Amino acid sequence: QVQLVESGGGLVQAGGSLRLSCAASGRTSSSDNMGWFRQVPGKEREFVAAISGNGAIISYADSAKGRWTISRDNAKNTVYLQMNSLKPEDTAVYYCNLGGRLLNRRYFPARYWGQGTQVTVSS
């Protein structure tokens, strides 16, 4: 019994910033890896970033490196994605995932997804 709720999305101008949050509840563990993905209509869900349960291992997609930061607060069962220097091509629905596997800094998602939060970046 796991529930994930994303928040923090919105409409911003290019170059702006957003901070996404994903709060987990239910049968979760601090050992659970978590990841962020994004998706636009008609395209596959795309990996953005992931973090291990203890925060020691972090992985980013090339599109996120240098701009965004994933972090977590296990006391709050929450993972964050700080998104700076946003571009119009970042426009998507952003989802978090709980319990996937991190292998060679590649994140393989589990079946636990949130409902998503919309990020729209205007040019």
Side-chain angles (χ1 to χ4, degrees):
Q1 194 74 27
V2 175
Q3 184 174 359
L4 302 172
V5 179
E6 299 96 334
S7 62
L11 174 64
V12 298
Q13 293 183 336
S17 298
L18 286 172
R19 188 191 189 212
L20 306 185
S21 299
C22 176
S25 62
R27 297 178 63 85
T28 63
S29 171
S30 61
S31 65
D32 289 330
N33 303 318
M34 298 185 72
W36 285 99
F37 290 72
R38 66 187 183 186
Q39 188 169 27
V40 299
K43 294 187 177 181
E44 295 183 356
R45 193 163 294 185
E46 176 188 22
F47 170 76
V48 175
I51 186 168
S52 63
N54 62 6
I57 302 173
I58 292 175
S59 180
Y60 295 103
D62 288 342
S63 61
K65 290 180 180 177
R67 295 192 297 150
W68 300 353
T69 303
I70 188 171
S71 62
R72 66 189 298 161
D73 185 342
N74 286 344
K76 299 180 179 179
N77 293 318
T78 300
V79 64
Y80 306 95
L81 184 66
Q82 178 65 46
M83 308 165 64
N84 299 325
S85 302
L86 283 161
K87 305 173 182 179
E89 52 262 43
D90 296 320
T91 296
V93 177
Y94 284 72
Y95 300 89
C96 65
N97 181 265
L98 173 71
R101 291 178 289 178
L102 264 174
L103 300 173
N104 295 321
R105 284 185 162 81
R106 292 179 290 180
Y107 184 80
F108 300 84
R111 69 184 184 92
Y112 300 110
W113 297 94
Q115 85 291 339
T117 185
Q118 176 71 48
V119 171
T120 303
V121 184
S122 62
S123 60

